[in-house]
Amino acid sequence: MWEYIQQWYRRKFSDPNAVTLFLLLVVTVLVIVLFGSLIVPLLIAISLAYLLDWPVMRLMQLGFSRLTATIITFSLFLAVMLISLLTLVPVIWQQSTTLIQEMPDMVTNLQIWLHKLPEMFPGIVDDHQINEFTQEMKRRAVGLGENLLTVSLTSIVNVMAMLVYLIIVPLLIFFMLKDRDILIAHFSRLLPSNRQLISQVGQEMNLQIMNYIRGKAIEVVVVAVVTFITFSLFGLRYSALLSIMVGLSVLIPYIGAAVATIPVVLVALFQFGPTAAFVWVTVAYLIIQALDGNLLVPLLFSEAISLNPVYIIAAVLIFGGIWGFWGVFFAIPLASLVKAVLTAWDSNAGDNVVEETPQ
């Protein structure tokens, strides 16, 4: 057993490039675990800089300097964000407040409808189970309202911190776009000279992360807009709130879609009752989810879908537990990173074996 471990260690860590890659991964994980909450603004800025670097590069291909391309892209980005905030935030706030106020009535109507189930399915569902379920629903609804009130009060206290973020993050984005090559050169100087595997993995992941962030942004917008149009055509209440919720749910692979389904179904059931309209709304929503998973995602993430769903879900659970929201958001790229590292490591170990065999 000990000899096998020694052979594995010599095979995997005999190359200084492999040791450098391993140490860089360890340091990165430690920084994320220990200082993850402190570097959130930096992570947001990096993600948005990745998203905006593509139009900057396209403008540079048209003959603009990097500074001019950055100013144009950054100005358009700020304008779009400002318009979106001024138009969406008041609507979302109003619909969220109304939805919270109507939650007790929703639970009551749901209870009336559920009490019909023992008559429809005798011997399978009884009144005791229905009562326990509805009481738990009421407790959760009250708890949700209290939590939202607590969050609102806390956010008022931390409004200065939010204002600081609103200033720091845009500045970070602007200078990351303007001085991208300089920053990359500075970071490269910090790395050891034995960084062949780091460069190999880094080039592959840089392209994947850029495509992933851009694809996710497109997916969120497309799913949210299509969902809003569909819900509006059916006259479903809280269409804006629900459509944004559904759009943001695509940030969490597989799990997000399942979680977003619950409020959509409950709101539709509360408004339409167990009628044909409720069925059509639910079917339309499920069609949107199916088209997103089977058409839009393969088109946007042709490289990422090579990962088995089991690996993606495992990445969501593991990286989400370590890194919170950002671990969930980057679950697919991080799973791809693990795959790229293992592939590079194995190929490097294979090369070492081939080189050492003649000796």
Side-chain angles (χ1 to χ4, degrees):
M1 181 64 181
W2 178 247
E3 292 181 358
Y4 175 79
I5 295 176
Q6 288 180 325
Q7 293 176 0
W8 176 85
Y9 177 81
R10 287 195 296 267
R11 187 170 64 252
K12 297 296 184 182
F13 294 95
S14 59
D15 188 358
N17 291 290
V19 176
T20 303
L21 176 61
F22 175 76
L23 292 177
L24 179 63
L25 292 175
V26 171
V27 171
T28 303
V29 171
L30 289 176
V31 169
I32 291 173
V33 172
L34 297 177
F35 306 104
S37 59
L38 299 178
I39 61 175
V40 167
L42 183 62
L43 297 176
I44 296 173
I46 292 174
S47 301
L48 293 175
Y50 263 109
L51 178 64
L52 298 177
D53 190 58
W54 183 82
V56 169
M57 296 300 294
R58 292 300 177 269
L59 289 175
M60 291 177 63
Q61 292 175 359
L62 295 176
F64 292 93
S65 65
R66 184 164 193 92
L67 177 59
T68 305
T70 299
I71 292 174
I72 295 173
T73 303
F74 187 71
S75 300
L76 291 175
F77 169 74
L78 288 182
V80 171
M81 292 300 297
L82 184 60
I83 294 172
S84 300
L85 289 175
L86 292 177
T87 55
L88 290 178
V89 170
V91 176
I92 299 304
W93 178 263
Q94 181 183 3
Q95 292 192 2
S96 301
T97 305
T98 306
L99 179 60
I100 294 172
Q101 293 174 351
E102 293 186 354
M103 272 188 179
D105 295 334
M106 288 185 178
V107 174
T108 301
N109 287 353
L110 179 62
Q111 183 177 6
I112 295 173
W113 182 75
L114 289 175
H115 276 294
K116 298 179 181 179
L117 292 180
E119 301 176 2
M120 301 169 59
F121 304 99
I124 301 178
V125 181
D126 56 40
D127 290 330
H128 178 69
Q129 294 173 332
I130 300 299
N131 290 330
E132 288 186 348
F133 177 77
T134 53
Q135 290 298 325
E136 181 65 22
M137 288 287 292
K138 287 182 178 179
R139 284 194 295 268
R140 291 185 179 274
V142 172
L144 178 61
E146 293 176 350
N147 291 335
L148 290 175
L149 180 60
T150 304
V151 169
S152 299
L153 295 175
T154 305
S155 62
I156 293 174
V157 175
N158 297 329
V159 66
M160 292 304 296
M162 293 297 298
L163 290 176
V164 171
Y165 281 5
L166 290 176
I167 296 173
I168 290 178
V169 172
L171 287 175
L172 285 172
I173 296 171
F174 178 79
F175 287 109
M176 284 178 180
L177 291 174
K178 183 177 79 70
D179 302 325
R180 188 196 67 168
D181 297 335
I182 297 175
L183 294 173
I184 292 176
H186 289 170
F187 179 74
S188 299
R189 293 173 189 170
L190 298 176
L191 298 177
S193 57
N194 298 317
R195 56 189 184 200
Q196 179 181 355
L197 289 182
I198 294 177
S199 300
Q200 176 183 339
V201 174
Q203 291 175 359
E204 179 180 348
M205 291 310 302
N206 181 63
L207 181 61
Q208 283 200 19
I209 291 176
M210 182 173 61
N211 291 335
Y212 177 77
I213 293 177
R214 186 171 67 244
K216 275 298 177 184
I218 296 173
E219 185 186 6
V220 168
V221 173
V222 170
V223 171
V225 171
V226 172
T227 304
F228 176 73
I229 294 173
T230 304
F231 288 171
S232 298
L233 291 175
F234 282 103
L236 185 65
R237 300 181 64 186
Y238 316 111
S239 295
L241 176 62
L242 293 175
S243 60
I244 291 177
M245 188 183 303
V246 173
L248 294 177
S249 70
V250 304
L251 298 177
I252 307 176
Y254 301 107
I255 300 174
V259 173
T261 302
I262 298 174
V264 172
V265 172
L266 289 178
V267 170
L269 182 62
F270 172 72
Q271 180 176 343
F272 301 114
T275 61
F278 165 72
V279 174
W280 282 115
V281 170
T282 305
V283 170
Y285 169 74
L286 294 178
I287 291 175
I288 293 173
Q289 291 289 355
L291 291 176
D292 173 48
N294 297 285
L295 179 62
L296 186 60
V297 169
L299 287 175
L300 296 175
F301 310 104
S302 57
E303 297 180 1
I305 59 172
S306 60
L307 293 171
N308 190 285
V310 174
Y311 299 147
I312 296 176
I313 294 175
V316 170
L317 297 176
I318 294 172
F319 294 119
I322 296 174
W323 202 3
F325 168 79
W326 291 103
V328 173
F329 177 71
F330 286 111
I332 292 179
L334 288 171
S336 300
L337 171 62
V338 173
K339 180 180 178 182
V341 169
L342 294 177
T343 301
W345 220 323
D346 287 340
S347 62
N348 183 72
D351 293 340
N352 291 336
V353 172
V354 172
E355 292 176 1
E356 294 175 1
T357 300
Q359 299 178 359

